[in-house]
Amino acid sequence: MSSAGNGLKELHELLTQLYACRKQLESGPKRIQIQQKVAKRRQADIDALKGEMKLQQKATDSINLSIKTSEQKVNDLKGKLNQASSNKEFDIFKGQIANEEAAAEKLDEQYLEALEQIDAMKAQMDELHADLKAAEADVEKRRGEIKVEEPILQEKLDGVEAEVKKAQEAVPASLMDHFRRLLNAHGPG
């Protein structure tokens, strides 16, 4: 192979290395952005769960208020029961008390279920917070890695650029024009 052919081959290999170095340098900030997006998603999940927990807490409080209202009704009916003037009134109040106590039982079950849901949400929240901490740690880790890699890659890039300039000088100008057109059309790879 001629020296011009060897020069073009060497130039092509150097340009491929140069392209790879640049890609690697550019990928650092992109990798950080990806990790930051993961952390933001975790934070959004936490915020969404907080909203769900508030709604669940309001529903639980509402059930609790209904239970207290029901208990108050039972106490009022028991007071009326003691003041009943006939057997018919007594039976009516007894039936109302039984109905109110049955409704209170159902409310108690709903209240316990609601409390269990809140507990499950709290456990899920703890898990999401742990995931967020891990994602934030990954962002910092990635930043540290890139901070270490960047000067090394930049030095390598500078060295390859210097070699490319030398190799370009060794190739005749007429071939360089043709090579540049091919490079522009097809890229370095």
Side-chain angles (χ1 to χ4, degrees), residues 1 55 68 99 103 110 117 133 136 156 173 177 180:
M1 200 185 277
L55 291 175
K68 288 181 182 182
N99 288 341
Q110 289 176 355
Q117 286 177 345
K133 276 188 173 183
E136 288 172 343
K156 183 177 177 182
D177 289 339
R180 281 194 184 111

Side-chain angles (χ1 to χ4, degrees), residues 11 14 17 28 40-41 58 71 93 109 112-113 121 129 135-136 157 164 188-189:
L11 180 60
L14 289 171
Q17 287 178 20
K40 284 180 183 178
R41 277 196 304 264
K58 285 180 183 179
E71 288 172 355
F93 288 134
E109 289 174 15
L112 289 175
E113 287 175 12
M121 287 177 164
H129 276 291
E136 288 172 343
L157 180 70
V164 166

Side-chain angles (χ1 to χ4, degrees), residues 46-122:
I46 288 171
D47 294 341
L49 186 59
K50 279 181 183 178
E52 289 177 32
M53 284 179 70
K54 282 183 182 179
L55 291 175
Q56 184 63 37
Q57 188 62 49
K58 285 180 183 179
T60 304
D61 291 344
S62 175
I63 293 170
N64 191 26
L65 181 61
S66 296
I67 290 171
K68 288 181 182 182
T69 303
S70 182
E71 288 172 355
Q72 184 61 41
K73 260 188 184 176
V74 168
N75 289 336
D76 290 346
L77 289 172
K78 284 183 179 178
K80 290 179 182 179
L81 180 70
N82 290 335
Q83 296 173 358
S85 56
S86 68
N87 282 343
K88 187 176 181 182
E89 267 185 60
F90 186 83
D91 289 339
I92 291 172
F93 288 134
K94 267 288 209 199
Q96 287 178 344
I97 289 172
N99 288 341
E100 223 28 73
E101 286 176 341
E105 255 184 61
K106 288 181 182 176
L107 287 172
D108 282 341
E109 289 174 15
Q110 289 176 355
Y111 185 68
L112 289 175
E113 287 175 12
L115 288 176
E116 287 174 359
Q117 286 177 345
I118 288 174
D119 288 343
M121 287 177 164
K122 285 179 181 176

